[in-house]
Amino acid sequence: MGIIQVFVLSVLFFILFFGIGFILNMLLRSTWVMAVVFPIVVVFIVDDVSFTSYFSQPGEAFPALWDDLNSLQAVDMFILLTGFAGTIVSGIVINILRKKGYQMF
């Protein structure tokens, strides 16, 4: 993957998760909702196992998830971490806006 692709993907993930986090935090009147939900989103992005197999076959699903997480390259981890940074920044922005007196919904 080229450096330009990594840059574009990291910016897109940051903006995507900032926007989703901002909207969820605004609608649910909570500050850190998306930061808590983000690991579940990462599981959906990374793993090939269906979601129901985590409940029906946990002995096989969780080791497969661990193997998939360990096989991520540094570039993939960087892109996912920029998405997580977007969720953190959205929580900080919502917090600042609430302290300044803006009421959202």
Side-chain angles (χ1 to χ4, degrees):
M1 193 177 308
I3 190 75
I4 295 174
Q5 291 173 329
V6 172
F7 178 74
V8 169
L9 277 173
S10 62
V11 170
L12 285 175
F13 263 63
F14 182 86
I15 292 170
L16 174 77
F17 283 107
F18 176 85
I20 292 171
F22 190 86
I23 291 170
L24 279 179
N25 289 334
M26 184 174 54
L27 292 175
L28 299 177
R29 294 184 181 220
S30 177
T31 305
W32 303 109
V33 169
M34 193 59 194
V36 174
V37 174
F38 185 78
I40 297 169
V41 173
V42 168
V43 167
F44 282 129
I45 291 172
V46 171
D47 202 7
D48 295 331
V49 178
S50 68
F51 183 71
T52 56
S53 65
Y54 287 105
F55 302 106
S56 62
Q57 301 169 344
E60 298 168 2
F62 284 106
L65 171 64
W66 184 253
D67 290 339
D68 288 340
L69 288 174
N70 282 334
S71 67
L72 287 177
Q73 296 180 356
V75 172
D76 299 328
M77 289 298 291
F78 176 72
I79 292 169
L80 289 173
L81 285 175
T82 56
F84 186 64
T87 63
I88 298 298
V89 171
S90 72
I92 292 169
V93 168
I94 284 285
N95 211 1
I96 290 171
L97 288 173
R98 285 193 183 125
K99 285 182 182 176
K100 296 212 179 230
Y102 290 98
Q103 293 180 347
M104 291 148 291
F105 295 93

